[in-house]
Amino acid sequence: MQTLTENRFRYGRGIKLIDDTGTEYIDGVSGTFNLSLGYNHPYVVEKVQEQVGNLTHMSSTFTEPYVDEVLSHLLEYAPNGIDAGWMRDITGSTANECATKIAQKYTGDTDIVSLFYSHHGQTQFATGISGNAFRRKGFPNSSVPNSLHVPAPYCYRCPFDANPSNCGMKCVEALADQLEYGGSGSTACMIIEPILGNGGNIIPPPEYFKGIRQLCDEQNIILIADEVQTGIGRTGYMFASTLFDIKPDIITLAKGLGGIGVPVAAVLMQSRLNVLEKHEHSFTSGSNLISVTAAKSTLEVVSEPGFMEEVQRKGKLLGDLLLDLEEKYSCIGEARGVGLMWGLEIVDEYNAPDTNKMNAIINFAFADQQLILRGSRYGFGNVVKVRPSLTVTDEEIVEIIRRLDLVLSSLD
Ligand code: PMP
């Protein structure tokens, strides 16, 4: 059986990839969930190629007019009085560091709170503030001393063994306790993914977001929504913060903002939080014109009339078909998602997390059915992710499901 790393892919078109033997694969996860517009989207490719031919990079002193265009476009859609931005990063990891620096500088406080299973990046600091402890192993500087991790609102396996329909939000209570007794008493911010992406496609209930917003207001804590995975239409909305009414103070973006996989990131905030000096957070390639152009043209595409409504409609189609698979196969404990961001929680006959089966599904899909899927590494590591590009067609969604169905039936 061929493994996931043996192929050399030659071409990408839409959600399809062709390897060097001419075999066609369907990418069910849009690269690393970052190809929001699929491989080789013609408009973005054209704009990026044109920019490469004209001017690739200047000192950030001169790129501001380009950056401002992208930021004003993003801010047109931003929720909750978010009206300023910063675009000197090219990765989600450092965008999150930018957000935590802002929170610490603005509040004068130290502690950073995040959820177990969360993933906020892989620089040492971003690893430290993430809730996936195994990533810190062997890297002492990844243990950020003022970082607190609290139980995730994972209703399918409630960490408090409560019934989600009347739990009284024990996870918000646990957060309040942790703030009172667990930290230094000086909390700068809470950083949260609207849907825990790598942690297993965990979608907190709406009351959770209400609860944490209230707590943050009461204690002057800056609420950061890490929308690196959920942003730029993944949930059928430009920002998942709008969909879930999170009301964050800061939003971080990366992945899908680059449309065809061009690295780029942005930090959006309320203008009162625009406190960083340029020398406090910027990188050589942070506002290079290739990245900025990719972001600009991607935003032009996703804000065409009807684009987001189409993502919502296709998301419903994908979700309905995955829920049908949940009915059909007992190894799917739960299919959960919104828009084009879905996960299948794979379980054994006792409903325990079944990581081996999840791995088998991913590998079989790749080897025999030419379907590329990914599994979650954090949490219990037993969630198969399905996240095609936003440009996926109905026929391709049906084809993803047909191939997944074949894999599941062969493993049943
Ligand atoms: N936040 C989230 C939610 C992510 O999923 C990721 C990457 N998987 C990051 C931050 C880090 O982004 P990057 O890999 O671009 O540094």
Side-chain angles (χ1 to χ4, degrees), residues 325 329 369 401-411:
L325 291 183
Y329 295 104
Q369 273 78 31
I401 298 296
R402 191 187 71 78
R403 293 187 191 191
L404 185 53
D405 195 0
L406 273 172
V407 174
L408 289 162
S409 65
S410 67
L411 288 169

Side-chain angles (χ1 to χ4, degrees), residues 52-314:
V52 170
N54 288 341
L55 190 61
T56 49
H57 182 87
M58 284 183 295
S59 145
S60 59
T61 313
F62 304 114
T63 52
E64 262 160 39
Y66 293 88
V67 165
D68 284 349
E69 274 181 333
V70 174
L71 288 176
S72 3
H73 197 146
L74 282 168
L75 292 171
E76 271 176 46
Y77 294 85
N80 193 36
I82 287 186
D83 56 356
W86 185 271
M87 221 175 144
R88 299 188 188 282
D89 298 274
I90 50 168
T91 70
S93 306
T94 65
N96 284 332
E97 295 195 13
C98 178
T100 53
K101 278 178 178 173
I102 290 171
Q104 288 180 327
K105 183 168 177 188
Y106 179 80
T107 60
D109 291 319
T110 54
D111 292 1
I112 297 163
V113 185
S114 72
L115 298 179
F116 286 135
Y117 316 137
S118 63
H119 178 68
H120 300 295
Q122 284 225 244
T123 55
Q124 288 211 324
F125 187 82
T127 307
I129 62 166
S130 298
N132 43 329
F134 83 94
R135 291 259 190 208
R136 296 194 279 275
K137 189 164 179 271
F139 305 109
N141 292 334
S142 293
S143 289
V144 175
N146 48 328
S147 168
L148 306 179
H149 308 289
V150 294
Y154 182 14
C155 298
Y156 185 70
R157 298 182 191 280
C158 173
F160 305 97
D161 216 10
N163 179 347
S165 61
N166 60 3
C167 64
M169 287 289 108
K170 290 201 166 18
C171 38
V172 177
E173 267 174 38
L175 167 61
D177 278 357
Q178 187 71 344
L179 292 179
E180 191 165 352
Y181 309 112
S184 66
S186 162
T187 308
C189 57
M190 173 163 193
I191 180 164
I192 179 167
E193 295 167 75
I195 298 175
L196 278 109
N198 290 359
N201 226 72
I202 295 170
I203 308 181
E207 307 81 61
Y208 182 77
F209 293 120
K210 241 188 249 160
I212 58 168
R213 180 65 266 179
Q214 197 181 335
L215 207 57
C216 288
D217 284 342
E218 285 164 6
Q219 304 197 19
N220 289 322
I221 295 167
I222 303 296
L223 181 57
I224 303 167
D226 174 348
E227 293 232 32
V228 167
Q229 281 202 32
T230 55
I232 318 298
R234 177 55 56 197
T235 65
Y237 292 79
M238 189 69 92
F239 302 104
S241 295
T242 309
L243 169 64
F244 297 129
D245 197 21
I246 299 176
K247 302 190 172 70
D249 301 300
I250 303 180
I251 295 177
T252 57
L253 296 164
K255 289 194 189 283
L257 184 57
I260 53 169
V262 178
V264 59
V267 180
L268 309 179
M269 68 200 96
Q270 295 166 354
S271 38
R272 70 187 166 109
L273 298 169
N274 206 356
V275 293
L276 290 187
E277 302 290 333
K278 203 169 142 191
H279 68 269
E280 290 175 316
H281 190 86
S282 56
F283 301 88
T284 304
S285 303
S287 55
N288 79 81
L289 294 177
I290 304 169
S291 298
V292 174
T293 303
K296 179 172 185 277
S297 46
T298 297
L299 288 172
E300 281 164 16
V301 174
V302 299
S303 44
E304 274 165 15
F307 186 95
M308 288 300 169
E309 288 76 9
E310 264 300 276
V311 176
Q312 291 163 20
R313 189 192 60 75
K314 290 186 287 191

